[in-house]
Amino acid sequence: MPTDIPLGREARTLPGVDLLWSGRVPDHIADVLAQRHILDRDESTRLAAFVRDADRDSYAVAHVMLRRLLGERLGQAPDAVTLSREPCAHCGGPHGRPVVPGSPVHFSLSHTSGLVMIALATALVGIDVEGVPGDPGIVADVASQLHPKERAHLAALPTEDRAIAFARCWTRKEALLKATGVGLNEGLALTYVGAGPQPAVNADWLLADLPADPGYTAAVAVHRTMSAPASQ
């Protein structure tokens, strides 16, 4: 399947990541809505519950394309792929990391207004894409909850550079928290991913920024293997 947004050689060769797919929702929505019958009951219920067309369309592209990619990887029909969730690593609730039960394939998806990204991997993985916030108040409010080093980095930047640096930090953090299975249940100040041009080095996880359309930032996190040392 074609990748609509070039993701770069470094991202595509990240150890443990088998496939990165990205697409613009308007380019796929007509085809995807014609294939929505491949969604399971829970997915179909969620799709029908959206009030805004833009939210419905992003969800539809993300989940139909995920099923197609998983089906291709597992040698199954897309509608035969069983999706479930592990217990939350933070509280034990039924809203943890999404999985295909019994499969060695790990996956993660993210969608925001107009863009979808999906990662398949042989190790635990998380992916996130977000729009760069245009409201300085949002940046200031959420940035106050970040790791102290990230807060200090953002505070030292010129005002016009803070939004993109914040968004870069946020997508790294959300990708990592998705991969660990705790999601945003964990305090944002506990994990350090960095807000600078390069992600912070993590002993257990590889982090990489992904190319995205102007006005967006994206990142992927994958669990390190024995062949992936902590030096980046």
Side-chain angles (χ1 to χ4, degrees):
M1 295 179 183
T3 300
D4 295 354
I5 306 167
L7 290 175
R9 184 178 183 278
E10 180 182 353
R12 287 187 286 109
T13 58
L14 201 64
V17 176
D18 285 346
L19 182 146
L20 291 169
W21 185 90
S22 62
R24 300 177 180 93
V25 171
D27 295 341
H28 295 276
I29 188 59
D31 175 54
V32 157
L33 289 180
Q35 294 293 313
R36 59 188 168 187
H37 62 275
I38 70 174
L39 300 176
D40 66 20
R41 181 181 300 175
D42 288 344
E43 290 169 317
S44 297
T45 298
R46 288 196 63 186
L47 184 66
F50 285 110
V51 175
R52 296 178 64 246
D53 288 349
D55 296 333
R56 178 207 64 184
D57 292 352
S58 291
Y59 182 90
V61 171
H63 285 260
V64 168
M65 293 307 302
L66 174 66
R67 284 188 165 275
R68 288 180 179 177
L69 293 168
L70 285 172
E72 184 178 86
R73 182 56 52 92
L74 297 171
Q76 299 179 10
D79 58 351
V81 175
T82 300
L83 299 178
S84 183
R85 284 188 177 270
E86 294 180 338
C88 173
H90 179 75
C91 68
H95 48 261
R97 184 188 300 109
V99 295
V100 178
S103 167
V105 178
H106 300 275
F107 66 90
S108 181
L109 63 80
S110 179
H111 53 89
T112 188
S113 53
L115 285 179
V116 172
M117 288 192 176
I118 297 170
L120 303 187
T122 56
L124 299 176
V125 68
I127 197 167
D128 191 53
V129 58
E130 304 285 348
V132 176
D135 183 349
I138 293 176
V139 174
D141 181 52
V142 181
S144 67
Q145 305 172 49
L146 300 176
H147 189 279
K149 290 183 180 179
E150 294 161 352
R151 295 201 303 267
H153 181 100
L154 291 171
L157 291 174
T159 303
E160 62 270 19
D161 295 336
R162 286 179 191 160
I164 185 67
F166 165 78
R168 190 166 54 206
C169 177
W170 180 266
T171 52
R172 293 169 185 168
K173 197 175 293 277
E174 187 157 350
L176 179 57
L177 294 177
K178 283 183 179 181
T180 63
V182 300
L184 296 180
N185 294 298
E186 180 175 290
L188 298 176
L190 297 180
T191 303
Y192 177 59
V193 297
Q198 297 296 324
V201 174
N202 187 297
D204 299 315
W205 299 90
L206 287 164
L207 293 171
D209 295 333
L210 300 175
D213 279 355
Y216 296 84
T217 59
V220 63
V222 62
H223 196 269
R224 291 184 183 276
T225 64
M226 293 302 292
S227 60
S231 59
Q232 288 185 317

